[in-house]
């Protein structure tokens, strides 16, 4: 029997990564993962654009990645959390708590993942968002790889159908976690003739607790409390995203930050058969990173498709129907993956037609207007490709990596600077209707860079950590695409190592004691 126990609540990428790192760090530690759903994964398994990591081969650097994240955050991002996301800890602390986006990428690749596809998403100044070239969506692939590794650890136990209902300190300083375990068959219900069910109530004591429960973007009640202006929008979140960890952390005395910062993603697919559905499939930002264009109801572009999400959302919301058309050409489709597009097509979310002119007919716009718009776009895309090729050749001649240099001036009336491929008007195109959707909560439980949860007085709570969307302060006003999975992997590893080290240490971390990084 293990000497110590760590409880991890939630089994998305953050929770699974926490469990794996904690189990590997301390074999004398029992790690108990509690998941309220029948299966693991949560919203992480739905993620479809990719995971960010510093990409030197593409002209990236830690400073560039940090600047992009801070600029997107609009002055609200905690720079210490951004630094932890991007830059690994000093050599003196790296073995215990070190992690960064590059470390997380290597960690995932060591589990057998191929994350060789790299694209540039909105708000990024260089390509740094990694995904798999084939197979399931990237979030599902990451979750399954980490889950497989977790289940191979003899000191980890995953319990599904376990909804945590309480967390409180016990008299001896440990934590008592109460949860409802599944459904246990009882006597037949005499009123309906069916089989009645009754939950089993369980309480477990632990030496440390990690909250990795995700956000509250599927809770109409919490959205109405913190962001009533978006509470009526559809959401991309699964019904499980109800802010459980925020409530549990609050009961333990955690400080909440920036709870009004809720991200509305600009592009959720509008299902023609159910346009008013309150839950929508995400039209991933990777589509625009691969060259998809946004068009108004006249067939004209109206926004920089690779601006930050808040900017694109505002532009689409300003359209008369509060929605837009998304059009992806054959070149972009090949880069994105026609298999995934086929999945969207099977759901009738995307329509493939034989040409741009057929696309205009599908959208109900003037073909001449659309063709003129695409011709203008292709001219700029061709010029951008030629410029990139020339820059790469120049860098190769002097034996350096092109670091991007100063941003080029805007190339079109939308201010667009980055063009990723042309649209062949005589080849097939993919067309979809999209609209803004509630997607992500930037606010949540306040944490330090070592993932320790801070209390109302600013001191860390005793033996409580948090990782992933349940925590707040990293993304500020606007999260960059790809930073969600990166946050889960980086801070999950940090939380797992920090919790394991504190729990098994001969000199336990007392309430309020700082852990230097």
């Amino acid at each position: 029997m293990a000497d110590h126990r760590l409880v991890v609540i939630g089994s998305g990428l953050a929770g699974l990564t926490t469990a794996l790192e904690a189990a590997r760090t301390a074999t004398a530690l029992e790690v108990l993962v509690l998941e309220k759903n029948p299966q693991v994964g949560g919203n992480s398994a739905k993620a479809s654009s990719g995971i960010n990591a510093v990409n030197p081969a593409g002209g990236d650097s830690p400073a560039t990645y940090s600047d992009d994240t801070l600029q997107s955050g609009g002055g609200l991002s905690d720079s210490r959390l951004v630094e932890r996301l991007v830059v690994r800890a000093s050599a003196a602390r790296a073995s215990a708590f070190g992690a960064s986006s590059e470390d997380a990428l290597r960690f995932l690749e060591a589990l057998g993942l191929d994350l060789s596809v790299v694209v540039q998403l909105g708000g990024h100044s260089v390509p740094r968002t990694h995904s798999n070239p084939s197979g399931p969506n990237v979030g599902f692939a990451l979750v399954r790889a980490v889950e497989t590794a977790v289940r191979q650890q003899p000191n980890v136990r995953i319990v599904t159908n376990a909804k945590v209902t309480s967390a409180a300190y016990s008299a001896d300083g440990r934590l008592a976690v109460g949860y409802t375990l599944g459904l246990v068959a009882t006597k037949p219900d005499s009123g309906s003739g069916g089989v009645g069910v009754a939950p089993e109530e369980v309480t477990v004591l632990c030496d440390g607790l990690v909250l990795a429960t995700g956000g509250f973007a599927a809770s109409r009640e919490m959205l109405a409390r913190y962001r009533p202006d978006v509470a009526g929008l559809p959401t991309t979140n699964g019904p499980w995203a109800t802010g459980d960890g925020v409530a549990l952390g609050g009961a333990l005395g955690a400080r909440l930050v920036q709870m009004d910062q809720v991200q509305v993603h600009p592009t959720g697919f509008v299902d023609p058969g159910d346009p008013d559905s309150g839950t929508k499939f995400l039209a991933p930002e990777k589509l625009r990173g691969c060259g998809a264009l946004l068009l108004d109801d006249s067939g004209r572009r109206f926004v920089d498709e690779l601006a930050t999400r808040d900017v694109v959302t505002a532009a689409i919301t300003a359209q008369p129907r509060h929605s837009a058309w998304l059009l992806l050409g054959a070149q972009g489709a090949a880069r994105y993956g026609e298999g995934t597009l086929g999945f969207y097509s099977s759901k009738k979310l995307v329509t493939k037609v034989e040409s741009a002119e057929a696309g205009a007919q599908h959208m109900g716009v003037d073909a001449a207007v659309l063709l003129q718009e695409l011709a203008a776009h292709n001219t700029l895309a061709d010029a951008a490709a030629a410029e990139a090729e020339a820059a790469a050749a120049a860098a190769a001649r002097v034996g350096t990596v092109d670091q991007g240099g100063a941003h080029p001036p805007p190339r079109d009336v939308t201010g667009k600077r980055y063009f990723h491929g042309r649209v062949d008007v005589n080849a097939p195109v993919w067309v979809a209707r999209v609209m803004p959707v509630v997607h992500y909560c930037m606010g949540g439980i306040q944490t330090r860079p070592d993932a320790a949860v801070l209390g109302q007085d600013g001191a860390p709570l005793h033996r409580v950590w948090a990782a992933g969307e349940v925590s707040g302060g990293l993304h500020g006003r606007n999260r960059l695409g790809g930073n969600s999975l990166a946050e889960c992997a980086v801070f999950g590893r940090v939380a797992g190592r920090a919790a394991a080290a504190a729990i098994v240490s001969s000199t336990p971390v007392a309430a309020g004691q700082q852990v230097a990084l």
Side-chain angles (χ1 to χ4, degrees):
M1 179 177 292
D3 299 325
H4 307 279
R5 177 184 294 127
L6 171 68
V7 169
V8 179
I9 307 176
S11 68
L13 183 60
L16 291 173
T17 302
T18 295
L20 182 58
E21 281 294 329
R24 287 175 168 179
T25 300
T27 57
L29 179 67
E30 175 195 348
V31 181
L32 176 63
V33 181
L34 300 176
E35 169 58 54
K36 70 178 180 180
N37 288 322
Q39 65 285 319
V40 306
N43 278 342
S44 297
K46 293 162 63 88
S48 47
S49 282
I51 180 170
N52 293 336
V54 175
N55 179 32
D60 200 8
S61 69
T64 303
Y65 184 9
S66 294
D67 287 347
D68 285 350
T69 301
L70 290 168
Q71 183 172 346
S72 180
L76 289 186
S77 296
D78 185 330
S79 60
R80 300 168 302 168
L81 298 178
V82 174
E83 182 180 13
R84 162 58 72 243
L85 178 74
V86 176
V87 185
R88 74 173 305 166
S90 65
R93 301 297 301 175
S95 60
F97 301 105
S100 70
S101 64
E102 289 179 277
D103 296 324
L105 185 67
R106 288 190 289 266
F107 160 80
L108 293 167
E109 290 174 334
L111 299 179
L113 286 159
D114 178 358
L115 298 171
S116 57
V117 174
V118 185
V119 300
Q120 182 174 350
L121 302 184
H124 295 260
S125 56
V126 297
R128 64 167 67 92
T129 307
H130 297 250
S131 61
N132 45 322
S134 61
N137 61 290
V138 61
F140 188 88
L142 297 185
V143 165
R144 289 296 167 259
V146 181
E147 179 193 2
T148 297
V150 167
R151 292 191 183 278
Q152 292 171 350
Q153 306 302 311
N155 54 332
V156 180
R157 183 163 59 101
I158 300 175
V159 180
T160 56
N161 293 307
K163 178 175 173 53
V164 176
T165 55
S166 64
Y169 287 104
S170 61
D172 61 1
R174 291 186 293 172
L175 291 121
V177 177
Y179 61 96
T180 302
L181 179 60
L183 296 173
V184 180
T186 60
K187 296 180 181 179
D189 184 337
S190 58
S192 64
V195 176
V197 290
E200 178 185 354
E201 303 295 336
V202 181
T203 299
V204 61
L205 289 174
C206 61
D207 304 285
L209 176 66
V210 177
L211 300 171
T213 55
F216 57 89
S219 170
R220 297 299 178 192
E221 179 184 354
M222 293 186 71
L223 288 173
R225 184 187 315 161
Y226 295 110
R227 278 297 302 275
D229 58 314
V230 304
L233 288 176
T235 181
T236 60
N237 284 240
W240 49 79
T242 51
D244 298 7
V246 171
L248 292 168
L252 289 168
R255 176 190 290 175
L256 306 182
V257 294
Q258 302 172 3
M259 293 293 286
D260 61 332
Q261 298 303 318
V262 175
Q263 184 168 73
V264 177
H265 194 289
T267 55
F269 284 122
V270 178
D271 182 350
D274 190 11
D276 298 324
S277 173
T279 302
K280 298 193 183 304
F281 274 91
L282 183 70
E285 193 166 330
K286 184 179 175 182
L287 286 165
R288 287 175 281 131
C290 289
L293 304 179
L294 293 172
L295 305 166
D296 64 19
D297 285 338
S298 70
R300 293 181 173 88
R301 291 182 54 243
F302 60 93
V303 67
D304 174 1
E305 290 85 1
L306 294 181
T308 54
R309 290 177 174 178
D310 53 343
V311 171
V312 181
T313 293
I316 295 177
T317 302
Q319 295 298 306
R321 295 169 60 189
H322 311 303
S323 60
W325 289 106
L326 182 145
L327 183 147
L328 181 67
Q331 186 181 108
R335 191 177 186 195
Y336 183 81
E338 293 194 33
T340 304
L341 289 169
F343 168 76
Y344 296 142
S345 180
S346 72
K347 298 290 185 182
K348 302 188 183 305
L349 303 173
V350 173
T351 300
K352 180 182 180 182
V353 295
E354 65 271 18
S355 67
E357 187 170 351
Q361 183 177 358
H362 177 81
M363 292 184 287
V365 305
D366 188 327
V369 171
L370 177 60
L371 292 174
Q372 182 180 20
E373 196 73 12
L374 295 180
H377 168 269
N378 286 342
T379 297
L380 295 171
D382 291 342
E387 182 179 302
E389 185 176 347
R397 284 196 298 273
V398 298
T400 63
V401 175
D402 179 18
Q403 293 297 322
H407 291 312
R411 292 177 175 273
D412 69 3
V413 294
T414 70
K416 190 166 187 174
R417 295 168 173 166
Y418 306 107
F419 294 81
H420 300 303
R422 64 191 338 269
V423 177
D424 184 345
V425 298
N426 296 313
V429 298
W430 283 255
V431 181
R433 192 79 183 174
V434 294
M435 68 173 293
V437 284
V438 173
H439 184 57
Y440 190 88
C441 300
M442 278 86 70
I445 294 170
Q446 187 172 28
T447 59
R448 297 188 317 188
D450 64 350
V453 170
L454 298 180
Q456 296 295 334
D457 60 356
L461 298 182
H462 183 53
R463 300 283 178 83
V464 183
W465 298 264
E469 190 179 353
V470 71
S471 59
L474 171 63
H475 307 293
R477 296 185 187 276
N478 185 70
R479 178 175 67 78
L480 286 176
N483 264 359
S484 177
L485 292 177
E487 175 187 25
C488 289
V490 169
F491 286 94
R493 297 186 72 207
V494 168
R497 292 183 181 186
I503 291 171
V504 303
S505 172
S506 58
T507 56
V509 180
Q513 181 178 338
Q514 298 289 317
V515 178
L517 291 175

